[in-house]
Amino acid sequence: MNKTTYNVAKMDCPSEEQLIRMKLADKQDIEQLHFDIPNRKVTVLHNGDAEPITRALADLRLDSRLLETEDADLAELTEEAPRDRRLLLTVLAINGFFFTLEVLAGILADSMGLVADALDMLADALVYGLALYAVSKAVSAQKKVARISGYLQLILAAGGLVEVVRRFITGEALPDFGLMVGVSLLALIGNSMCLYLLRREKSDKAHMQASEIFTSNDIIVNLGVILAGGLVYLTGSSYPDLIIGLAIFVVVARGAFRIFQLSR
């Protein structure tokens, strides 16, 4: 058993982690993958030579570089703890709930910022769901789910971008900034709870680190929508809401294209 460690310079979010997992899914010699996203490192426990793994990672064009290969003790192979799965399901449920809340509130408040934030929550839920579903599934099933998730995410993002552009051109009514801020505060509390639960585990496992980073990004998005709501109130203009919505939709669309890479 060998343990090979790579530096992957462009691995900065869970999308790249899932991309690497899919790329290496058909490598029969791989026993386990460990991801350290903050430090841009991937550790592969495998049998045989590391060259096929190195070539596969190079194909992804994520600036991967082999750091070292050493003998690995079989004791390093560990099973995913059931509590990790329960925690991820909890985070998934919270994301699903706030997606529903924010999309309804966004429609009522006439706020593209809230709708975009809801879509960001949905994008997170899709990635969490994909990661959970992919366990013990065939590679073909994983790729099918990836394609479906990517298409759904891209369609929603494209629709949102078109609506933002339309509102820029036609000049819509002022959004309900009170509802914007109130619902975003609730979402901020929900994401903060998720982040607390994830950090409390102090796990160094790939999917847990990925979930923590995703949730941290969600908190930044929530703060952006709250700021936009405040600017709508201060300026009496809908432009802050449209600008934050545009920025979030672009991020979600970018994530959709990354998901398409998973299904290759």
Side-chain angles (χ1 to χ4, degrees):
M1 180 71 62
N2 296 313
K3 180 170 73 172
T4 302
T5 303
Y6 295 88
N7 174 261
V8 185
K10 294 183 179 179
M11 183 181 69
D12 56 7
C13 76
S15 294
E16 284 85 17
E17 177 190 339
Q18 293 299 324
L19 177 62
I20 292 170
R21 286 186 181 278
M22 288 292 187
K23 184 67 175 179
L24 300 180
D26 61 346
K27 304 295 181 186
Q28 301 298 321
D29 290 336
I30 294 179
E31 298 291 343
Q32 197 168 97
L33 297 171
H34 294 285
F35 290 82
D36 183 354
I37 294 180
N39 293 312
R40 311 292 199 271
K41 290 183 179 180
V42 179
T43 300
V44 185
L45 296 176
H46 62 97
N47 296 300
D49 189 63
E51 182 58 27
I53 301 171
T54 303
R55 288 199 304 267
L57 290 176
D59 289 343
L60 295 176
R61 298 181 181 180
L62 295 175
D63 290 348
S64 59
R65 176 170 58 91
L66 192 152
L67 297 178
E68 64 176 351
T69 297
E70 58 185 337
D71 291 335
D73 192 308
L74 290 177
E76 294 191 55
L77 297 175
T78 58
E79 294 296 328
E80 180 180 272
R83 69 179 183 179
D84 289 352
R85 182 181 290 274
R86 288 196 297 270
L87 180 54
L88 283 175
L89 285 170
T90 300
V91 173
L92 174 61
I94 292 174
N95 271 266
F97 170 77
F98 279 104
F99 159 70
T100 304
L101 176 64
E102 285 194 301
V103 76
L104 292 175
I107 294 171
L108 291 174
D110 201 22
S111 167
M112 292 308 299
L114 273 180
V115 173
D117 195 5
L119 181 56
D120 183 58
M121 300 285 278
L122 176 62
D124 292 353
L126 288 173
V127 172
Y128 294 143
L130 175 62
L132 288 168
Y133 177 84
V135 177
S136 301
K137 298 295 182 180
V139 174
S140 59
Q142 296 174 13
K143 291 183 177 182
K144 181 178 180 181
V145 173
R147 283 194 297 271
I148 293 172
S149 299
Y151 281 125
L152 176 59
Q153 191 168 319
L154 184 60
I155 290 170
L156 293 174
L161 288 169
V162 170
E163 178 63 13
V164 168
V165 172
R166 186 190 71 79
R167 293 190 181 203
F168 264 116
I169 295 173
T170 61
E172 293 293 311
L174 200 68
D176 186 334
F177 58 84
L179 193 54
M180 279 180 67
V181 173
V183 173
S184 293
L185 281 172
L186 290 176
L188 178 62
I189 293 171
N191 280 318
S192 298
M193 289 172 54
C194 291
L195 189 60
Y196 168 74
L197 292 172
L198 291 166
R199 287 186 172 175
R200 188 178 63 178
E201 290 298 306
K202 297 180 179 179
S203 175
D204 59 355
K205 295 178 183 177
H207 56 286
M208 304 305 290
Q209 289 184 352
S211 300
E212 185 174 325
I213 290 173
F214 238 165
T215 305
S216 298
N217 291 339
D218 287 343
I219 289 175
I220 295 174
V221 170
N222 294 147
L223 292 172
V225 177
I226 291 171
L227 175 62
L231 290 174
V232 166
Y233 173 73
L234 292 174
T235 64
S237 169
S238 62
Y239 284 136
D241 175 61
L242 295 177
I243 291 171
I244 190 65
L246 180 64
I248 299 172
F249 281 130
V250 169
V251 170
V252 173
R254 181 169 173 261
F257 284 109
R258 285 181 172 177
I259 289 177
F260 285 138
Q261 289 182 287
L262 304 181
S263 60
R264 288 181 178 175

